[in-house]
Amino acid sequence: MLNPITICDKDIFQQVKLSCLIPTMIEGIVGRQVIAQIAAEKGIVADTHELQQAADDLRRVNNLHSAGETWIWLQKYHLSLDEFEELAAATVLSAKLAQHLFAEQLEPYFLEHQLDYTRVVMYEIVLDDEDLAMELFYALQEGEIHFHQATHQYIQDPDLRRQGGYRGLVRRNELKPEISAAVFSAQPPQILKPIVTAQGAHLILVEELIPAELTQELRYEILSALFATWLKQQVEQVEVTPQLEPEPILLQSR
């Protein structure tokens, strides 16, 4: 059995450095402090109900369904109850500050970028041979073969083949520009003439175009993106000098 190993803050900091995580850590630390400072300046605080809700959300996200599971989780991450509450408070402040800064910009932003949030239900076969792709396209057009049959015959990836080439709900910015232009100009259901990219010849079935709708989920996504961009800009303006004071932690090796 190995002897007990003592780890202090200096050791942890050194591991962070060797893992090339310093920039990420600094960005997170400064971001948290920026949020706290600006929230205070704007009089934004977390009330008791909001803190309780945030704590409940944290437990749910981490599958902590009992006090015992929560305690084990806290020990695993070396967090005290006060630090857990601090984490919940930081979550609340971030959400409230984001609302304060960008809530009124949500609908104008959505209207301006509405096309970016339009989605397509599509199926795809990618072939190395452009001539074969054209031949298969005409065969599909003439009804000599069904798209589903073609996917089972020409898709090599087992999982994608089992799904019949289904790409899921895809947004415009998730596709290559040349593919996006053709897909979002289609009249569903429509099989597109093969599109050649560096990846190969794409044979695409456009099943449905789904117009963008400003749902609660999309509101949260846009708000989070706007806030993240803003926070990154704030962090980049801050001059940082990291300091750590060693504090021993005793870990028993197995």
Side-chain angles (χ1 to χ4, degrees):
M1 182 176 179
L2 296 176
N3 295 325
I5 299 174
T6 301
I7 298 176
C8 66
D9 285 352
K10 182 178 179 181
D11 299 317
I12 296 173
F13 185 37
Q14 183 68 8
Q15 181 61 34
V16 170
K17 287 169 61 179
L18 295 177
S19 300
C20 302
L21 293 174
I22 286 292
T24 302
M25 299 295 292
I26 289 177
E27 184 175 343
I29 293 167
V30 176
R32 181 165 50 86
Q33 294 185 7
V34 165
I35 290 170
Q37 179 180 330
I38 296 182
E41 290 174 357
K42 296 183 178 298
I44 297 173
V45 296
D47 62 34
T48 303
H49 174 74
E50 291 168 334
L51 289 173
Q52 183 61 56
Q53 183 62 54
D56 291 344
D57 290 343
L58 283 171
R59 282 191 285 267
R60 183 171 59 255
V61 167
N62 290 283
N63 296 313
L64 307 176
H65 304 297
S66 67
E69 289 175 338
T70 301
W71 178 244
I72 292 172
W73 185 85
L74 291 173
Q75 287 183 312
K76 176 181 178 180
Y77 292 102
H78 299 277
L79 293 171
S80 66
L81 285 174
D82 287 343
E83 288 167 334
F84 183 75
E85 291 176 1
E86 183 181 346
L87 180 59
T91 302
V92 173
L93 287 182
S94 294
K96 296 185 72 171
L97 182 57
Q99 282 285 341
H100 178 83
L101 293 174
F102 299 108
E104 293 184 359
Q105 298 182 29
L106 277 178
E107 291 192 14
Y109 182 91
F110 170 73
L111 292 174
E112 183 179 350
H113 299 85
Q114 192 167 356
L115 289 178
D116 295 335
Y117 295 103
T118 301
R119 295 177 297 173
V120 59
V121 180
M122 59 178 280
Y123 299 78
E124 181 181 46
I125 303 170
V126 182
L127 299 166
D128 294 330
D129 189 330
E130 185 178 348
D131 291 335
L132 174 60
M134 285 299 301
E135 182 182 326
L136 185 55
F137 169 72
Y138 288 121
L140 289 164
Q141 291 286 86
E142 296 297 325
E144 297 173 6
I145 185 174
H146 294 292
F147 197 90
H148 181 71
Q149 294 173 315
T151 60
H152 278 263
Q153 186 172 346
Y154 293 102
I155 292 179
Q156 301 300 316
D157 181 83
D159 291 332
L160 190 57
R161 184 171 60 244
R162 293 188 190 101
Q163 297 169 17
Y166 180 59
R167 285 287 306 276
L169 291 171
V170 184
R171 286 183 182 166
R172 185 182 298 268
N173 61 4
E174 295 173 334
L175 296 171
K176 296 178 183 295
E178 59 268 41
I179 294 178
S180 175
V183 164
F184 286 93
S185 299
Q187 299 294 322
Q190 181 181 350
I191 298 174
L192 303 181
K193 189 175 180 178
I195 303 168
V196 180
T197 70
Q199 189 180 356
H202 301 252
L203 193 57
I204 296 171
L205 166 61
V206 180
E207 183 176 87
E208 181 182 4
L209 292 177
I210 303 176
E213 182 182 352
L214 190 55
T215 61
Q216 192 62 35
E217 181 182 356
L218 185 53
R219 284 177 178 273
Y220 177 78
E221 180 183 332
I222 294 174
L223 188 68
S224 298
L226 292 173
F227 184 67
T229 299
W230 170 85
L231 184 58
K232 185 174 180 61
Q233 293 171 346
Q234 304 305 308
V235 168
E236 289 173 349
Q237 299 175 22
V238 178
E239 183 178 348
V240 181
T241 304
Q243 294 180 347
L244 289 176
E245 295 181 2
E247 209 172 287
I249 303 173
L250 184 64
L251 298 180
Q252 180 71 46
S253 62
R254 295 181 180 179

